[in-house]
Amino acid sequence: MNGIQINDVTKTFGDTLALNQVSLTFEPHKIHGLLGRNGAGKSTLLNIITNRLFADNGTVTIDGLSGTENDHAQGMIYLMSEKNLYPESMTCNEAFKWTKQFFKDFDLDYALNLARQFKLDPKKKIQSLSTGYNSIFKIITALSVNTPYVLFDEPVLGLDANHREMFYRLLIEKYSNNPFTAIISTHLIEEIANLLEYVIIIKNGEILVNESCEALLSKGYSVTGTINQVDTFVKDKEVIGEDVLGGLKTATVIGSINKSTLPDGIEIANLDLQKLFIKLTNEE
Amino acid sequence: MKQNTIYKYQLLDHRNGVLIFCAIILAIIIFIPAQITYSEALSKSYESTRIAGIDMASAVFLFICGLVSFKECFLFALQNGISRKSLFKTRLYVTVTLAVTLTLFSLFLLTLGAFIEASSTGISYSSLLSMIYPATGILQSSGPFEYLNNFLFLTVLLTAAQALGYLITVALYRMNRKQKITYIVGFYILFFVILPVIDMFISGQISTILLKFLDLSMGISAQNPFIGMFSLTIFAIIVTGSTWLLIRNAEVKN
């Protein structure tokens, strides 16, 4: 498996440059986080990969096959998109049955089991579902489809905390039992930070960061202690975020640390991905 | 496999509509003779009762089927990894399947009509083909030739009607809101206001030219249905080709 390769992809909508010569590879059997602010170009990229939009320039290959207008290549990929592309008069049950016919590895029993767990009535029409249950319906389909590549565009839109927790748990379970390539585009970075193996940050249609989560998070650290202690410690360091709670302060710092020089009373933790994201995407 | 599935999906999408349509037409065909037979007033004037050109209803019905067939299906196909090319190819199969199905239904009606004509003494039934080409020697005689000609003519007509409906809906999908309004309003203004007014001022020359064109292209004066079939086939090919030009670059809209 070669993964999904994006070479020099550019896409414009009128005068707006949505993607600017984007090149990257989504490695197989990894969980990728596609992060970016609103309008950064995340959904456009996912839509180009899945042949819903055409790139103005550049190519997309899926396991070495062109992804454009290629039924075979597109049969290896499933996009759970923010926009609902299912006929509104269709019931969830019908949608599952049709998906089974389009994707031979779709696990209908698993889908119905998930529907029970999420308390989704499969007899309901898709158009009658609330925003949250619409997301749940699409999550169930995406988790049951068993294609080598599954793309999630804002999967937890409208979900309550319990259902979000359930989705993350099911995703990990599914991935552990049968590894596949997942690409998750979301704004809830804090919640998925622990799931991600690779992080791609996209800003104004260009790739800002494309590296493993581990390598990215090793670029900095968080320190916690009393306000005075933390202020003294970070005085000559690059701080990208600070939180104060009561007498305690947490600062997020970019750079490496020599643990032997750490003063007493200061605790050190991993870099906060969300803070790093905010710092990177706020920079002009 | 995926192509079979999207073909099946598109076909099933029309199933209920086709069944309801057939039931209504059948009910009309049965209801009219029954009403005439059992109504004293009507039965006295049964000589004037004529059921004619009901096949045109199939053409209108399939035109509407074509009109409502694109958007949902296109999005559903993309969701399931079907390319535009496969969708278009299977749509052609669906178009021909529906055209043949309703043509066979029309032939059944023709048989039923002949039965009604024979048993009700006076109620006449004529197909669209025999209405347009009454003087054609082949058509005046009933039998296999009549059925064969009806089959060919209706299949081509119904295919062309669907293809036109599909082209319109695909074109509307590709347009933005401003273009849609301009197109729809412009169409009505041009064909129902401007052209009739100009036609009135130039002593009906436009309508004469249009009627002559229709006459020639359909072989009405010549009473040759094969000219009509040929013209409809060319029309369907042009319309289908134009549809492909629009579909191949269609994208999901926000």
Side-chain angles (χ1 to χ4, degrees), chain A residues 247-275:
Chain A
L248 281 178
K249 184 170 188 175
T250 302
T252 308
V253 182
I254 293 290
S256 56
I257 186 171
N258 181 356
K259 283 183 183 174
S260 61
T261 63
L262 203 65
D264 283 344
I266 289 263
E267 279 181 22
I268 187 160
N270 282 338
L271 182 67
D272 186 330
L273 183 61
Q274 177 152 296
K275 289 216 165 55

Side-chain angles (χ1 to χ4, degrees), chain A residues 154-165:
Chain A
E154 294 297 344
V156 292
L157 195 75
L159 294 197
D160 60 32
N162 307 44
H163 282 148
R164 291 206 300 273
E165 186 69 30

Side-chain angles (χ1 to χ4, degrees), chain A residues 11 50-54 69-71 74-75 78-79 81 83 85-88 90 98-99 101-104, chain B residues 1-3 5-6 8-9 12 72 75-76 78-86 248-253:
Chain A
K11 177 73 181 175
T50 50
N51 195 37
R52 294 175 189 191
L53 294 177
F54 291 113
E69 287 294 274
N70 186 338
D71 290 353
Q74 290 300 327
Y78 184 87
L79 169 62
S81 55
K83 187 178 162 69
L85 302 191
Y86 289 90
E88 290 192 334
M90 195 175 257
W98 278 111
T99 310
Q101 296 202 38
F102 284 110
F103 297 95
K104 62 178 175 19
Chain B
M1 186 185 119
K2 277 190 158 193
Q3 283 194 13
T5 309
I6 197 69
K8 202 166 86 179
Y9 172 76
L12 281 173
E72 263 196 3
L75 298 180
F76 189 55
L78 288 182
Q79 175 66 68
N80 291 295
I82 304 287
S83 64
R84 290 153 189 83
K85 195 177 165 186
S86 297
R248 67 179 184 159
N249 293 322
E251 294 184 332
V252 170
K253 286 181 179 178

Side-chain angles (χ1 to χ4, degrees), chain B residues 8-118:
Chain B
K8 202 166 86 179
Y9 172 76
Q10 291 181 88
L11 211 52
L12 281 173
D13 204 27
H14 294 297
R15 185 186 57 186
N16 289 348
V18 168
L19 288 175
I20 292 168
F21 171 80
C22 291
I24 290 170
I25 296 293
L26 209 54
I28 290 169
I29 297 287
I30 294 165
F31 177 74
I32 291 172
Q35 196 192 18
I36 288 164
T37 309
Y38 294 108
S39 160
E40 205 177 316
L42 285 171
S43 60
K44 282 176 186 167
S45 58
Y46 62 81
E47 290 93 340
S48 61
T49 308
R50 187 171 176 222
I51 305 169
I54 208 157
D55 316 316
M56 201 57 204
S58 302
V60 174
F61 171 73
L62 285 185
F63 170 73
I64 294 164
C65 281
L67 267 183
V68 298
S69 296
F70 179 67
K71 191 181 170 187
E72 263 196 3
C73 227
F74 173 64
L75 298 180
F76 189 55
L78 288 182
Q79 175 66 68
N80 291 295
I82 304 287
S83 64
R84 290 153 189 83
K85 195 177 165 186
S86 297
L87 177 71
F88 178 73
K89 205 165 105 181
T90 51
R91 181 68 218 174
L92 291 182
Y93 298 153
V94 170
T95 301
V96 174
T97 308
L98 287 177
V100 169
T101 305
L102 283 192
T103 297
L104 292 174
F105 177 67
S106 288
L107 295 184
F108 167 71
L109 293 181
L110 190 65
T111 313
L112 194 65
F115 173 74
I116 290 167
E117 208 171 302

Side-chain angles (χ1 to χ4, degrees), chain B residues 114-135:
Chain B
F115 173 74
I116 290 167
E117 208 171 302
S119 57
S120 301
T121 58
I123 300 170
S124 68
Y125 181 93
S126 53
S127 66
L128 182 66
L129 189 69
S130 59
M131 267 181 74
I132 302 174
Y133 308 100

Side-chain angles (χ1 to χ4, degrees), chain A residues 84-99 102 121-129 134 137, chain B residues 6 9-10 12-13 72-73 76-77 79-80:
Chain A
N84 181 25
L85 302 191
Y86 289 90
E88 290 192 334
S89 59
M90 195 175 257
T91 65
C92 299
N93 241 337
E94 285 167 348
F96 292 153
K97 284 176 185 163
W98 278 111
T99 310
F102 284 110
D121 180 1
K123 287 178 194 150
K124 274 197 167 179
K125 287 192 174 178
I126 296 167
Q127 68 172 349
S128 70
L129 298 174
N134 213 302
F137 157 69
Chain B
I6 197 69
Y9 172 76
Q10 291 181 88
L12 281 173
D13 204 27
E72 263 196 3
C73 227
F76 189 55
Q79 175 66 68
N80 291 295

